């Protein structure tokens, strides 16, 4: 039968026959869903009517209509419910008193029953009424229990699991007293510091105090303070009482089967809102929480004794909630009375607390309580700008707030807050890129343990002293730097001034030597020229040292045939030796060893490997000659020292060059059979002023090392394995080193 909805209309019924007929007619045209809300009596009456039961069965089997029935399932109607469960979704709701049907979301049927009058009914398709009751049905349906669960409860005589919210202090007290009446074994309570007054100064006290007489165990957790101690002492007479620092929440559990939690309340007043639940899983969870807190709590007797003596029990708490950590930070600053010590893990940690308002609280603590505050933190421009005001005498509390800056090697991953050497808060840094503290921190530990707090205080004092030393060292380093700059400028100026008169002395003495035939005069002129040459090399070395240390030494690179350069230099040395004139040109090494002209019982041999002949390399030609000349002069000097009077033995000096294909380098080697490297030079051979000679300055090898490294190479030396002489080596890259060409070093 097809249903044709009329215009909106409402009809009233005044007998059960008329209502039954209307219900049967509705069942004939429903095509989508049939929702019925019936009390425990009406469900039995309707299902007892054969036509209605058949109509319901046809909806599910023949038409595939969704049938939902909401009722109160009791022992009296459970058999009728079982008959229609295969063809309908059925749910249970305690104490339901409504009787209505919504068909296809467009027709409403409502019924009212009375013991003294005929049943009354209403049928309407008025949209507003239908939608209102459809909404009501959905709300009740979502709050109900599936019939299968309810039937198990009836079979095993279990209470209906539900959660409800109670409002109003009188209503809450009434239900609380009712719960106490039905308690059988135990009653566990956990409240904040206001809880004891609620129990003692309220209508529930007399009933609560009577529970132990019925054999019921009472356990109570709260924060015992000086203010609520009188209530706690009274509680202690009837229950087991324990103290837990800063405990939050107000809840109770009766017999492990019923849980209640109230909103925060004023002292001595009941809460205005209470959640009650007997859902087993939820109650068991809350019971577990209570047992955990109970195991950590302190017996009330000990806490009361501490308050009376003015002492605190040691504790160490781990805090996971970052919001709780920030809140605790504020509270600790507010309760400070003597001193606050802070270590920030990073500069960002410092700035996050500036944004969070902690520094305003610190300044307030200094103003209100005269608290002295010391802060250690890494620094940056923002922090330096922010903390400058604490250094100014115009700042009101500049003597109370001190900030020092940590160096990187003193930084940690933990920020510390120490208050009055009584409390410590250590906060782990989790993600330093975050803008807010609550997003940046991880676990935190909060403690009043004396050993813990004093250990942190000792660490702080150590860091404070070290930061003070660093600041002083920085000041001294700056003074030394300025002195060093002035000294280098003076030496540079002096070297330039010395070189100016040396040039004409060398030039004129050379001219006179060539033109003068007087042997005695030649000897004097030779001495003058030799010492002028020595002074010339010394001033050049000094200038090179100042350029190196001032990072202004420049290389003038060009393509050079290195084999030809070395060969020419060695030939020049060998010719000078053979002519016994090395003293006129290069008989002094760069360390300035002073020797008279004499026969040098040495020979210089150059033997490059075949693969380096005619190799072109990009270097500063004059600087490479300077390095190689210095090494050859040192070798000649060492060989000459080895000479034994009356012994004409020749001590050859070998210069060689080879190519390393794997590293693309050229290695130049100068080896002698002289006295070798003194053991005292180990580790400092290429440093400034390192020398074992009486007249040397120890600058030659230092300059050579820097020139080689400026080319991208390296230099080293070692004594020969046969115990005679030493070998010096340096490398030059075959490829141009990026950024080195004509650049500063």
């Amino acid at each position: 039968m097809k249903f044709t909805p009329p215009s909106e209309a409402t009809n009233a019924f005044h007998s059960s026959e008329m209502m039954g007929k209307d219900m049967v007619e509705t069942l004939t045209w429903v095509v989508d869903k049939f929702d019925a809300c019936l009390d425990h009596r009406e469900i039995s009456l309707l299902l007892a009517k054969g036509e209605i039961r058949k109509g319901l069965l046809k909806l599910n089997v023949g038409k595939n209509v969704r049938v939902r029935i909401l009722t109160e399932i009791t022992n009296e109607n459970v058999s009728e419910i079982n008959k229609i469960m295969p063809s309908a979704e059925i749910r249970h709701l305690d104490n339901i008193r409504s009787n209505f049907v919504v068909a296809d979301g467009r027709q409403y049927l409502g019924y009212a029953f009375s013991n003294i009058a005929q049943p009354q009914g209403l049928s309407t398709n008025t949209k507003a009424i239908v939608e209102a009751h459809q909404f009501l049905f959905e709300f009740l349906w979502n709050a109900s229990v599936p019939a299968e669960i309810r039937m198990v409860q009836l079979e095993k005589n279990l209470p209906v699991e539900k959660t409800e919210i109670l409002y109003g202090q009188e209503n809450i007290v009434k239900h609380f007293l009712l719960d106490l009446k039905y308690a059988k074994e135990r009653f566990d309570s956990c409240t904040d510091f206001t809880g004891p007054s609620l129990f003692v100064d309220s209508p529930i006290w007399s009933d609560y105090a009577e529970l132990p007489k019925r054999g019921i165990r009472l356990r109570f957790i709260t924060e015992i303070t000086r203010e609520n101690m009188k209530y706690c002492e009274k509680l202690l007479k009837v229950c087991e009482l324990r103290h837990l620092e800063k405990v939050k929440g107000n809840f109770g559990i009766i017999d492990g089967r019923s849980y209640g939690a109230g909103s925060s309340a004023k002292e001595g007043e009941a809460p205005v809102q209470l959640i009650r639940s007997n859902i087993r899983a939820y109650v068991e969870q809350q019971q577990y929480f209570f047992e955990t807190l109970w195991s950590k709590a302190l017996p009330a007797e000990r806490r009361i004794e501490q308050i009376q003596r003015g002492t605190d029990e040691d504790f160490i708490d781990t805090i996971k909630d970052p919001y709780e950590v920030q809140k605790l930070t504020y509270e600790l600053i507010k309760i400070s009375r003597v001193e606050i010590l802070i270590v920030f893990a990073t500069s960002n940690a410092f700035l996050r607390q500036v944004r969070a308002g902690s520094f305003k609280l610190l300044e307030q603590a200094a103003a209100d309580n005269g608290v002295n505050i010391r802060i250690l933190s890494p620094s940056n421009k923002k922090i330096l700008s922010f903390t400058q005001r604490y250094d100014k005498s115009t700042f009101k509390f500049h003597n109370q707030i001190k900030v020092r800056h940590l160096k990187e090697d003193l930084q940690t991953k933990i920020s510390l807050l120490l208050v009055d050497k009584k409390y410590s808060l250590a906060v782990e840094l989790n993600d330093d890129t975050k803008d807010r503290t609550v997003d940046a921190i991880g676990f935190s530990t909060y403690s009043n343990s004396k050993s813990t707090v004093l250990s942190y205080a000792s660490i702080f004092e150590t860091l404070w002293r070290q930061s003070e030393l660093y600041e002083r060292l920085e000041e001294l380093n700056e003074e030394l730097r300025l002195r060093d700059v002035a000294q280098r400028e003076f030496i540079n100026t002096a070297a330039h001034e010395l070189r100016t008169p040396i040039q004409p002395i060398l030039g004129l003495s050379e001219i006179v030597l060539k033109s003068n035939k007087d042997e005695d005069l030649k000897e004097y002129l030779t001495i003058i020229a030799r010492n002028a040459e020595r002074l010339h090399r010394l001033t050049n070395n000094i200038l090179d040292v100042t350029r190196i240390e001032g990072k202004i030494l420049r290389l003038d690179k060009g393509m050079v045939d290195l084999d030809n350069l070395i060969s020419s230099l060695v030939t020049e040395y060998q010719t000078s030796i053979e002519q016994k004139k090395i003293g006129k040109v290069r008989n002094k090494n760069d360390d300035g060893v002073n020797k008279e002209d004499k026969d040098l019982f040495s020979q210089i041999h150059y033997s490059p490997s075949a693969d380096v002949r005619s190799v072109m390399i990009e270097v500063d030609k004059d600087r490479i000659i300077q390095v190689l000349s210095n090494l050859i002069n040192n070798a000649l000097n060492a060989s000459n020292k080895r000479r034994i009077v009356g012994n004409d033995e020749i001590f050859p000096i070998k210069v060689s060059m080879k190519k390393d294909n794997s590293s693309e380098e050229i290695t130049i080697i100068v080896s002698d059979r002289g006295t070798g490297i003194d053991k005292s030079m180990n580790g400092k051979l290429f440093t400034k002023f390192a020398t074992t000679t009486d007249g040397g300055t120890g600058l030659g090898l230092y300059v050579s090392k820097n020139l080689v490294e400026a080319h991208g190479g390296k230099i080293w030396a070692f004594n020969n394995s046969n115990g005679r002489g030493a070998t010096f080596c340096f490398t030059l890259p075959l490829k141009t080193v990026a950024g080195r060409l004509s650049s500063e070093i």
Side-chain angles (χ1 to χ4, degrees):
M1 178 178 179
K2 187 176 181 181
F3 174 75
T4 303
S7 57
E8 290 188 351
T10 301
N11 298 312
F13 303 100
H14 304 288
S15 67
S16 58
E17 290 78 10
M18 294 178 66
M19 287 188 294
K21 182 180 178 181
D22 190 64
M23 175 72 78
V24 171
E25 183 181 346
T26 300
L27 291 172
T28 61
W29 57 256
V30 173
V31 295
D32 184 23
K33 63 181 179 180
F34 181 85
D35 296 329
C37 179
L38 308 168
D39 65 24
H40 68 283
R41 296 173 302 170
E42 181 64 11
I43 185 71
S44 299
L45 292 172
L46 284 177
L47 295 179
K49 297 179 179 181
E51 292 184 4
I52 293 177
R53 184 186 300 171
K54 290 178 182 178
L56 288 172
L57 292 174
K58 287 181 180 180
L59 289 181
N60 184 263
V61 177
K63 296 183 178 181
N64 200 27
V65 174
R66 184 184 185 189
V67 179
R68 295 188 294 176
I69 299 176
L70 183 62
T71 188
E72 181 180 11
I73 303 175
T74 65
N75 287 317
E76 289 72 24
N77 64 20
V78 68
S79 60
E80 296 294 334
I81 297 294
N82 272 320
K83 293 177 182 178
I84 61 167
M85 279 188 67
S87 58
E89 300 173 47
I90 303 177
R91 287 195 174 188
H92 163 83
L93 193 63
D94 276 346
N95 301 317
I96 193 167
R97 291 293 181 266
S98 296
N99 292 283
F100 66 89
V101 171
V102 180
D104 282 347
R106 57 189 178 186
Q107 186 74 18
Y108 164 79
L109 289 83
Y111 309 99
F113 296 90
S114 172
N115 293 329
I116 59 174
Q118 284 286 333
Q120 304 293 313
L122 184 71
S123 174
T124 183
N125 65 348
T126 303
K127 185 177 180 181
I129 297 175
V130 174
E131 288 180 348
H133 283 82
Q134 185 69 62
F135 173 82
L136 176 60
F137 180 87
E138 298 296 342
F139 179 82
L140 296 175
W141 183 261
N142 291 330
S144 59
V145 177
E148 294 82 359
I149 295 176
R150 175 56 178 163
M151 288 180 175
V152 172
Q153 292 171 347
L154 290 174
E155 182 181 346
K156 296 184 178 181
N157 197 27
L158 299 175
V160 178
E161 289 191 339
K162 62 181 179 180
T163 298
E164 60 182 344
I165 302 175
L166 303 179
Y167 297 95
Q169 292 178 334
E170 290 185 6
N171 187 37
I172 290 171
V173 170
K174 182 182 73 173
H175 280 83
F176 186 82
L177 292 173
L178 191 62
D179 288 337
L180 293 182
K181 181 179 178 181
Y182 290 104
K184 296 179 180 179
E185 297 177 2
R186 68 177 185 272
F187 181 20
D188 297 328
S189 304
C190 179
T191 75
D192 60 21
F193 67 93
T194 65
S197 65
L198 168 62
F199 276 72
V200 174
D201 275 356
S202 74
I204 68 173
W205 174 247
S206 58
D207 290 57
Y208 181 78
E210 289 293 318
L211 292 178
K213 296 178 181 179
R214 291 163 42 196
I216 296 172
R217 183 186 183 190
L218 302 179
R219 294 188 295 176
F220 203 110
I221 300 173
T222 189
E223 181 181 13
I224 303 175
T225 66
R226 192 174 298 277
E227 290 73 22
N228 69 9
M229 192 167 66
K230 63 179 181 179
Y231 302 111
C232 294
E233 288 175 332
K234 197 169 182 179
L235 273 173
L236 194 55
K237 294 178 181 179
V238 299
C239 71
E240 301 172 50
L241 180 64
R242 290 192 178 183
H243 162 80
L244 194 60
E245 191 79 16
K246 299 187 182 301
V247 65
K248 302 295 181 184
N250 296 282
F251 68 90
I253 304 169
I254 296 178
D255 294 336
R257 57 178 174 77
S258 178
Y259 166 82
S263 58
S264 297
K266 297 179 181 179
E267 285 194 45
E269 294 185 9
V272 296
Q273 182 175 301
L274 182 76
I275 299 173
R276 299 175 69 202
S277 178
N278 67 342
I279 297 176
R280 183 178 178 183
Y282 187 58
V283 175
E284 288 178 349
Q285 181 188 73
Q286 299 303 315
Q287 186 69 57
Y288 171 79
F289 290 156
F290 180 87
E291 299 298 341
T292 302
L293 297 176
W294 183 258
S295 65
K296 291 186 175 183
L298 183 71
E301 296 84 353
R302 288 176 59 186
R303 175 56 181 165
I304 291 172
E305 183 181 355
Q306 289 173 2
I307 294 174
Q308 291 171 342
R309 291 184 176 181
T311 60
D312 286 323
E313 181 77 7
D314 286 354
F315 65 84
I316 299 178
D317 291 339
T318 300
I319 307 174
K320 298 179 181 179
D321 185 354
Y323 290 94
E324 187 67 24
V325 174
Q326 186 65 64
K327 181 180 178 182
L328 180 58
T329 300
Y330 296 152
E331 291 176 356
L332 288 174
I333 293 173
K334 290 176 182 178
I335 67 171
S336 62
R337 292 296 180 268
V338 180
E339 181 182 50
I340 294 176
L341 308 178
I342 301 174
V343 180
F344 287 108
T346 65
S347 55
N348 285 339
F350 183 104
L351 295 173
R352 280 190 289 268
Q353 287 303 313
V354 172
R355 291 191 292 270
S358 296
F359 277 83
K360 290 183 179 179
L361 290 177
L362 290 172
E363 292 172 11
Q364 193 68 37
D368 295 345
N369 302 323
V371 177
N372 292 315
I373 300 163
R374 288 186 288 162
I375 301 169
L376 285 167
S377 172
S379 65
N380 57 27
K381 290 182 179 179
K382 289 183 179 179
I383 292 177
L384 290 173
S385 175
F386 179 82
T387 57
Q388 276 180 353
R389 57 180 177 163
Y390 297 140
D391 298 328
K392 296 178 181 178
S393 58
T394 53
F395 182 70
K396 188 175 181 180
F397 312 109
H398 74 280
N399 287 325
Q400 292 173 246
I401 303 178
K402 303 291 183 183
V403 181
R404 285 186 180 163
H405 304 293
L406 287 172
K407 294 296 180 183
E408 287 187 8
D409 56 346
L410 295 180
Q411 293 180 30
T412 69
K413 289 296 181 182
I414 300 292
S415 291
L416 285 176
L417 171 63
L418 306 176
V419 175
D420 295 340
K421 289 190 172 65
K422 291 182 179 179
Y423 303 99
S424 69
L425 180 62
V427 183
E428 175 192 34
L429 178 63
N430 195 25
D431 187 349
D432 197 38
T433 64
K434 301 296 184 181
D435 291 331
R436 300 191 310 162
T437 297
V438 293
D439 298 324
I441 62 176
F443 288 104
S444 301
T445 56
Y446 169 50
S447 178
N448 72 337
S449 167
K450 188 173 182 179
S451 59
T452 301
V453 175
L454 292 181
S455 295
Y456 282 140
S458 176
I459 293 171
F460 179 91
E461 296 297 346
T462 300
L463 292 174
W464 186 263
R465 288 192 295 270
Q466 287 185 355
S467 65
E468 185 178 22
L469 288 173
Y470 269 107
E471 288 180 5
R472 180 57 183 152
L473 284 173
E474 283 187 346
E475 293 174 1
L476 293 174
N477 283 336
E478 181 61 17
E479 291 179 11
L480 290 173
R481 188 189 68 80
L482 294 175
R483 290 182 185 180
D484 190 49
V485 169
Q487 186 181 49
R488 284 202 305 269
E489 290 177 352
F490 171 76
I491 292 173
N492 190 43
T493 302
H496 277 288
E497 292 299 321
L498 283 171
R499 192 165 62 172
T500 301
I502 289 172
Q503 290 297 126
I505 293 173
L506 285 171
L508 291 172
S509 60
E510 186 70 24
I511 293 171
V512 175
L513 273 171
K514 289 180 179 179
S515 61
N516 198 294
K517 305 298 183 181
D518 188 331
E519 292 300 325
D520 290 337
L521 185 58
K522 279 187 177 182
E523 183 178 353
Y524 297 144
L525 289 171
T526 299
I527 294 172
I528 292 172
R530 183 171 61 243
N531 283 282
E533 179 67 27
R534 176 189 174 192
L535 189 58
H536 183 253
R537 280 194 298 273
L538 177 60
T539 55
N540 282 339
N541 278 338
I542 291 173
L543 286 172
D544 282 344
V545 169
T546 56
R547 292 184 186 117
I548 290 167
E549 294 185 344
K551 300 186 184 302
I552 56 173
L553 180 64
R554 296 180 179 274
L555 300 180
D556 186 13
K557 289 184 177 182
M559 298 306 295
V560 175
D561 184 338
L562 196 58
D563 175 47
N564 183 57
L565 182 149
I566 297 174
S567 178
S568 299
L569 185 63
V570 169
T571 299
E572 182 182 348
Y573 267 95
Q574 189 59 40
T575 301
S576 297
I577 291 172
E578 291 171 357
Q579 295 176 354
K580 301 180 182 179
K581 293 180 180 179
I582 194 168
K584 294 182 179 180
V585 183
R586 289 190 179 89
N587 74 318
K588 304 297 179 297
N589 62 23
D590 282 346
D591 282 341
V593 177
N594 187 13
K595 298 188 292 291
E596 299 297 329
D597 289 344
K598 58 181 74 176
D599 294 340
L600 294 177
F601 288 77
S602 298
Q603 292 180 349
I604 303 178
H605 302 287
Y606 172 53
S607 55
S609 59
D611 58 351
V612 296
R613 293 189 181 276
S614 301
V615 169
M616 300 297 291
I617 187 169
E618 190 173 26
V619 294
D620 185 327
K621 177 180 177 181
D622 292 334
R623 292 300 189 179
I624 297 303
I625 290 175
Q626 181 180 348
V627 172
L628 194 54
S629 296
N630 185 60
L631 297 182
I632 293 174
N633 283 333
N634 285 348
L636 288 170
N637 184 42
S639 298
N640 195 47
K641 283 183 179 180
R642 192 176 177 87
R643 179 187 175 195
I644 302 173
V645 178
N647 185 351
D648 292 340
E649 182 182 357
I650 300 298
F651 299 104
I653 296 171
K654 295 181 180 179
V655 180
S656 59
M657 180 170 60
K658 64 180 182 179
K659 180 181 178 183
D660 188 344
N661 291 323
S662 62
S663 59
E664 296 187 339
E665 290 179 333
I666 292 288
T667 303
I668 297 96
I669 304 164
V670 178
S671 181
D672 64 63
R673 293 176 61 191
T675 56
I677 302 169
D678 193 279
K679 291 181 179 179
S680 64
M681 290 293 101
N682 288 342
K684 59 180 182 179
L685 185 63
F686 295 97
T687 60
K688 271 191 306 185
F689 312 122
T691 181
T692 56
T693 62
D694 294 334
T697 61
L699 296 177
L701 288 177
Y702 172 75
V703 172
S704 297
K705 174 179 180 292
N706 281 275
L707 290 175
V708 169
E709 290 177 351
H711 282 83
K714 56 185 177 181
I715 187 169
W716 68 97
F718 54 87
N719 282 322
N720 297 329
S721 58
N722 59 10
R724 302 188 67 183
T727 298
F728 284 75
C729 309
F730 69 93
T731 62
L732 295 171
L734 288 171
K735 291 184 178 180
T736 302
V737 179
R740 295 282 189 175
L741 185 59
S742 297
S743 63
E744 297 180 0
I745 64 169

